[in-house]
Amino acid sequence: MASVFLWRAAARRLLLSLLPPPGRAAARGAGSALPAALLRRGGLVGGRWVEAAAAFPVRDPASGAELGQVADCGVAEARAAVRAAHGAGAAWSRLPAKERSALLRKWYDLMIENKDDLAKIITAENGKPLKESQGEVLYSASFLEWFAEEARRVYGDVIPASATDRRILVLKQPVGVSAIITPWNFPSAMITRKVGAALAAGCTVVVKPAEDTPLSALALGELANQAGIPAGVYNVVPCSRQQTPAVGEVLCTDPLVAKISFTGSTATGKILLKHAAGTVKRVSMELGGHAPFIVFDSANVDRAVAGALASKYRNSGQTCVCTNRFLVQKGIHDKFVEKFAKAIESKLHVGNGFDAKTTQGPLINEKAVEKVERHISDAVSQGASIVTGGKRHSLGKNFFEPTLLSNVTTKMLCTQEETFGPLAPVIKFETEEEAIAIANAANVGLAVIRSPCLLCHVRSREEYTSIIFGLPLCKRKGRGDLCIMKIDHRKSCKEGNRPPFSALMFECVGCGKCWGG
């Protein structure tokens, strides 16, 4: 048995000797060298950078070049991270809210100081245009800023009692160790929006980043250490696709973990829910979407096209709120398709994310490209027409042309599944009732409605199960920009008894200057 352990130790030393030192990244034609000060290759457990028995490559989706090797954490490392988070929990939860607030604020300040380097890391491992990455870093940092302030406002409550000799007080306490499992499409923002809230409340976290984009999570860990976040409060266990199921199961079944927060596919979410059920953990799931974008005859076509372009092709169609289905009324359909195609061809530029002209970077990997191809092939075989695009781009295997399909029906895969790519299928409808039926045919999704009549928007909330409103007017004088108003709701468990809306939430996600901003 001793010889086995000696052999494993020797193998591990040999493997680590072959890994590039921290900070080394493959050269890229369009981008400068990645920031060595923020690149880490190990997991972060209990405030220390730890290696694993193996490593996996992180690749630039634009070129396929290896950016570096990262520790392939497994069950042992995941359990160690959970224990570290649990061990740090008592002291962190007892820390005065003001001090937690100050540490989160320092972390935010460091993100802002390093925003350009963080953006380069995102573009290198995710492929999105550098301008979008810079926007994501600011968005990501804003969560730390917000929750730094909210840490001071974790208020309790006093509830009137039914008896004179009793007093009912509500004290809010941190739930404990929170497992944070995040996607690759927003490798920084999806972490801070979860971690910021958890740390502000007094919880500690174990982050399992997506295998395609672990460098951003590790860079955040480096800045957390610099900010003085105590050891064990923020832990990161990067792992390969092969190790992901085992690591996910540990995080969902370990009795020391009290909370699971996951953003990703519905299929994966169901697996995690099953694992978490055994120990009855609290769970937060942000799963797949199937967003319809609805354009009525009364809409301004130019504004509708501008909104459609922004809604569909951000991050090459790889966001959970990207439009997946375009429903256009018969009277305006042909004009909309014509102008939409011209806008796609003239305003979208496919290229490396480090190229300043690029608006459309690569898809995250070849599997994502194959799904887009499968949806297009299925649609064309059933009578759909390719208006523009429709094939891989000459730049490389992960690049795909922004594509527009017409003559699309609800029997096609692209109207039944989330594509998560640069594909815009357009369905023609005649009546509002028909549009409602098509939009509500999926059990997930958001929608955008284009109409100049505010009363139509208000009335439509009674019909659609989930809506993003595209209001055409902005209160700033001289502007008529698209302002997207999101309405969210919580559905009843019993589909047959579900009301149109059981709760409403308005949020300006457009210009930020209108009455909803």
Side-chain angles (χ1 to χ4, degrees):
M1 181 63 73
S3 62
V4 172
F5 284 117
L6 289 173
W7 179 86
R8 287 179 176 172
R12 182 182 177 189
R13 286 194 298 271
L14 175 62
L15 175 65
L16 295 180
S17 70
L18 298 175
L19 295 178
R24 180 183 297 176
R28 300 180 313 285
S32 57
L34 291 181
L38 293 180
L39 285 184
R40 291 292 176 266
R41 64 178 180 177
L44 180 59
V45 177
R48 298 183 300 107
W49 296 104
V50 301
E51 299 293 349
F56 68 99
V58 180
R59 299 189 181 279
D60 177 356
S63 65
E66 185 176 302
L67 300 172
Q69 296 270 334
V70 171
D72 193 4
C73 295
V75 170
E77 290 78 17
R79 287 176 175 162
V82 170
R83 290 194 297 271
H86 185 261
W92 179 251
S93 65
R94 288 196 300 266
L95 201 66
K98 182 178 180 180
E99 294 185 32
R100 291 201 301 269
S101 172
L103 289 169
L104 285 170
R105 178 70 195 201
K106 178 60 177 176
W107 197 3
Y108 160 79
D109 290 337
L110 287 172
M111 284 194 70
I112 296 302
E113 289 175 18
N114 292 274
K115 62 182 186 296
D116 292 335
D117 287 343
L118 292 170
K120 289 178 182 178
I121 293 174
I122 292 174
T123 293
E125 64 179 351
N126 172 277
K128 68 176 63 177
L130 185 60
K131 186 176 181 180
E132 287 191 24
S133 296
Q134 291 167 341
E136 180 182 343
V137 171
L138 296 179
Y139 179 55
S140 176
S142 73
F143 287 114
L144 297 183
E145 179 186 34
W146 173 266
F147 287 113
E149 296 300 320
E150 289 301 294
R152 303 167 182 255
R153 304 187 183 100
V154 184
Y155 303 132
D157 203 356
V158 179
I159 301 174
S162 59
T164 58
D165 60 343
R166 296 177 184 178
R167 295 292 182 270
I168 302 176
L169 306 178
V170 177
L171 301 178
K172 294 184 179 179
Q173 301 287 350
V175 298
V177 177
S178 300
I180 309 296
I181 305 175
T182 57
W184 48 262
N185 58 339
F186 289 92
S188 180
M190 292 299 99
I191 292 175
T192 56
R193 68 183 289 188
K194 299 174 185 290
V195 170
L199 267 58
C203 299
T204 55
V205 299
V206 177
V207 177
K208 206 296 285 182
E211 60 272 11
D212 292 299
T213 56
L215 299 179
S216 293
L218 297 173
L220 288 174
E222 171 61 27
L223 294 180
N225 282 351
Q226 293 181 23
I229 301 294
V233 171
Y234 177 85
N235 304 274
V236 185
V237 284
C239 64
S240 64
R241 185 170 281 104
Q242 291 72 29
Q243 290 276 29
T244 291
V247 170
E249 184 173 354
V250 167
L251 296 180
C252 289
T253 58
D254 193 306
L256 295 181
V257 175
K259 165 82 177 184
I260 306 292
S261 181
F262 169 71
T263 297
S265 73
T266 302
T268 301
K270 290 178 179 179
I271 294 171
L272 299 180
L273 282 168
K274 288 180 180 179
H275 287 321
T279 46
V280 198
K281 298 189 190 306
R282 295 171 174 85
V283 295
S284 295
M285 297 280 159
E286 183 188 0
L287 307 178
H290 193 40
F293 184 114
I294 303 172
V295 186
F296 287 101
D297 286 343
S298 57
N300 180 300
V301 178
D302 292 330
R303 291 178 184 169
V305 166
L309 202 69
S311 177
K312 172 69 253 184
Y313 292 106
R314 182 165 65 111
N315 196 16
S316 297
Q318 300 174 114
T319 79
C320 61
V321 294
C322 272
T323 298
N324 209 58
R325 304 168 286 162
F326 289 86
L327 281 60
V328 184
Q329 200 161 17
K330 182 179 179 180
I332 206 173
H333 174 274
D334 292 350
K335 184 182 292 185
F336 176 86
V337 170
E338 178 186 356
K339 290 194 172 186
F340 197 10
K342 289 180 179 178
I344 290 170
E345 293 166 356
S346 63
K347 296 184 178 181
L348 300 183
H349 180 82
V350 179
N352 189 296
F354 286 99
D355 185 337
K357 297 183 299 181
T358 295
T359 63
Q360 303 289 289
L363 273 67
I364 190 63
N365 52 41
E366 193 167 13
K367 184 179 179 182
V369 175
E370 291 171 352
K371 185 175 185 181
V372 177
E373 289 179 323
R374 185 169 67 255
H375 280 192
I376 294 174
S377 176
D378 171 79
V380 171
S381 71
Q382 297 187 61
S385 302
I386 298 175
V387 182
T388 187
K391 62 183 185 299
R392 297 194 190 205
H393 197 280
S394 58
L395 283 174
K397 66 179 183 179
N398 290 342
F399 288 92
F400 204 90
E401 296 176 347
T403 300
L404 177 63
L405 297 180
S406 64
N407 300 318
V408 174
T409 70
T410 57
K411 295 182 179 180
M412 300 172 183
L413 277 178
C414 60
T415 67
Q416 299 172 359
E417 299 176 354
E418 186 177 22
T419 303
F420 228 66
L423 171 61
V426 179
I427 303 170
K428 184 189 298 184
F429 71 90
E430 294 191 12
T431 66
E432 182 179 357
E433 290 73 22
E434 182 185 358
I436 292 172
I438 295 172
N440 289 345
N443 59 3
V444 294
L446 300 167
V448 171
I449 301 174
R450 290 297 305 173
S451 168
C453 177
L454 180 59
L455 289 178
C456 292
H457 292 297
V458 175
R459 179 170 59 83
S460 64
R461 75 173 181 83
E462 301 172 355
E463 305 291 342
Y464 294 93
T465 56
S466 189
I467 301 175
I468 288 182
F469 283 134
L471 298 178
L473 300 179
C474 176
K475 77 176 183 182
R476 284 196 295 173
K477 185 176 181 180
R479 289 198 53 169
D481 292 355
L482 173 71
C483 179
I484 300 175
M485 298 300 301
K486 181 170 72 174
I487 288 187
D488 203 352
H489 70 28
R490 297 178 178 86
K491 295 180 179 179
S492 164
C493 293
K494 293 183 178 179
E495 193 73 16
N497 297 328
R498 187 183 68 208
F501 286 88
S502 54
L504 293 178
M505 181 271 290
F506 285 83
E507 174 191 354
C508 179
V509 292
C511 66
K513 302 295 183 180
C514 67
W515 57 267

